[in-house]
Amino acid sequence: MKTDSPLILIVEDNPADFALIGEELAAAVERGVFRLANAVSLADACSQLDAEDVAAVLLDLSLPDSLGIETFDEVLKHSPNTPIVVLTGLDDSELGLRAVRNGAQDYLVKGKIDGTSLERTLHYAVERKRRETALRQKQSLEVMAQFAGGIATEFNHLLQVVLGRLQALEWPLRDQPELLKEVHAASSTVLN
């Protein structure tokens, strides 16, 4: 397993469900596509999100210390840039849809998860995070470039004002060669 593989945090308190998900992703883990970590409570999940660079979260909404959409909302609030795929029970599709409306990447129904669709869903989540991060960085660089360009323009205007003032001093100082020499030196500095 590659240690630079994206880390998927599986927030699941049921050891059997975690084992099943692990089995479904075993081939991807073996190929080094993902690394898996497990959190068994909301507090544990938040702690791991703070400690590690998590590429995506696979989130059970029924945990010992949190239940329902509040579980999703808390993880999202805690780690807003990490894609979250919600795990629901067979009769909780409405809850899954609600999580998607609140910002979840997707939802999957426990008991209907197969390795191929799970791996594809997680690939999509990881790729989406990578692209969004790259877009945010690009936008930040563009804003910084615009800001720097604005500062350069303003600075150039100020230099033009200084140069104009120095040139205005040349006529009154025409009979004082030492001072006129200083004005010419200052003008030359501004031009270069």
Side-chain angles (χ1 to χ4, degrees):
M1 171 173 47
K2 298 189 297 189
T3 57
D4 62 338
S5 301
L7 179 63
I8 306 301
L9 179 61
I10 302 171
V11 184
E12 174 60 67
D13 63 322
N14 183 327
D17 285 344
F18 176 71
L20 181 63
I21 292 167
E23 286 175 24
E24 295 294 342
L25 290 174
V29 169
E30 231 176 80
R31 291 191 321 270
V33 175
F34 301 121
R35 292 179 296 130
L36 304 179
N38 183 220
V40 295
S41 67
L42 179 60
D44 186 19
C46 291
S47 176
Q48 288 191 48
L49 286 165
D50 286 342
E52 299 191 58
D53 182 24
V54 175
V57 175
L58 200 53
L59 179 65
D60 179 9
L61 296 178
S62 298
L63 299 171
D65 57 346
S66 185
L67 185 63
I69 198 68
E70 293 78 20
T71 305
F72 170 79
D73 291 340
E74 188 61 32
V75 170
L76 182 65
K77 183 170 58 173
H78 193 79
S79 190
N81 296 322
T82 302
I84 302 168
V85 176
V86 169
L87 297 171
T88 67
L90 292 172
D91 56 349
D92 287 337
S93 62
E94 183 58 39
L95 185 60
L97 287 172
R98 188 168 170 207
V100 168
R101 281 188 220 109
N102 284 13
Q105 175 83 30
D106 201 349
Y107 80 94
L108 299 171
V109 178
K110 287 184 187 180
K112 294 189 176 188
I113 297 173
D114 67 87
T116 304
S117 63
L118 181 57
E119 186 176 340
R120 186 179 314 121
T121 298
L122 291 172
H123 271 297
Y124 177 72
V126 170
E127 181 62 19
R128 176 178 166 215
K129 177 184 178 183
R130 188 190 67 73
R131 287 179 185 246
E132 286 175 351
T133 300
L135 179 62
R136 276 193 300 278
Q137 288 172 343
K138 180 182 176 192
Q139 289 170 337
S140 285
L141 290 174
E142 288 172 355
V143 167
M144 287 174 32
Q146 289 174 351
F147 181 68
I151 289 175
T153 299
E154 289 301 315
F155 188 69
N156 188 39
H157 289 180
L158 288 173
L159 288 178
Q160 293 303 317
V161 170
V162 169
L163 185 58
R165 300 281 184 184
L166 288 170
Q167 289 171 343
L169 288 173
E170 288 180 6
W171 178 253
L173 296 176
R174 67 185 179 282
D175 295 331
Q176 300 178 31
E178 287 301 313
L179 289 175
L180 190 57
K181 182 179 171 186
E182 292 298 321
V183 168
H184 286 148
S187 294
S188 177
T189 302
V190 168
L191 289 172
N192 292 329

